[in-house]
Amino acid sequence: MFRPVPDRPDLAAMVVRLGRSLVTAERPVLAAHDVSMWGYIVLSALADEPMRTQTALARAIGADKTRIIATLDELQERSLIEREPDPGDRRVRLLRLTPAGRSLYAAVRADIRTAEEELLDVLTAADRRTFLRVLQLLDPAGD
């Protein structure tokens, strides 16, 4: 039977601190590419697949649909995303990355991976593989 180890912080406390440190490490990367955190989240979601509606996108990224409108407007003004009426239902807006959006997403993601590698440098190669595997296993959004 598993018994909790009393001499360590709770998982939530450790994960929140790690998450905050990762967000702090990402901020200069995002600023260098002139994209907001929400902008990068949208680009990431659309990099996987186009979305049929803004509501579906908001649901997929865990945002209020009214909150992301300004982000979508900015990304569209910068020609990073397209919002086109669905030919089958003109009330619906299809969202997808443009080639420029795909290029920006790839550049930001590469720079974020570099920052992550610096953070993970304290781990051995075996610990790094285990850490990443376990995170993927525990990720509620994982498939």
Side-chain angles (χ1 to χ4, degrees), residues 21-22 24-29 108-121:
S21 114
L22 291 169
T24 298
E26 285 185 9
R27 281 195 177 118
V29 171
V108 174
R109 186 174 185 189
D111 288 350
I112 286 173
R113 290 295 190 269
T114 299
E116 291 172 349
E117 289 301 317
E118 291 174 15
L119 176 77
L120 295 173
D121 271 349

Side-chain angles (χ1 to χ4, degrees), residues 52-117:
R52 191 165 186 312
T53 66
Q54 291 178 188
T55 301
L57 172 64
R59 193 175 307 118
I61 65 174
D64 180 273
K65 66 181 179 180
T66 60
R67 186 189 191 299
I68 65 167
I69 291 172
T71 299
L72 295 175
D73 288 345
E74 180 201 350
L75 294 173
Q76 186 173 17
E77 286 169 14
R78 292 178 58 192
S79 299
L80 300 172
I81 67 167
E82 295 174 335
R83 290 188 284 186
E84 299 175 343
D86 181 342
D89 183 350
R90 296 191 55 80
R91 296 170 296 174
V92 173
R93 302 295 235 171
L94 302 173
L95 293 100
R96 68 176 55 91
L97 291 182
T98 63
R102 195 161 295 286
S103 177
L104 177 65
Y105 169 71
V108 174
R109 186 174 185 189
D111 288 350
I112 286 173
R113 290 295 190 269
T114 299
E116 291 172 349
E117 289 301 317

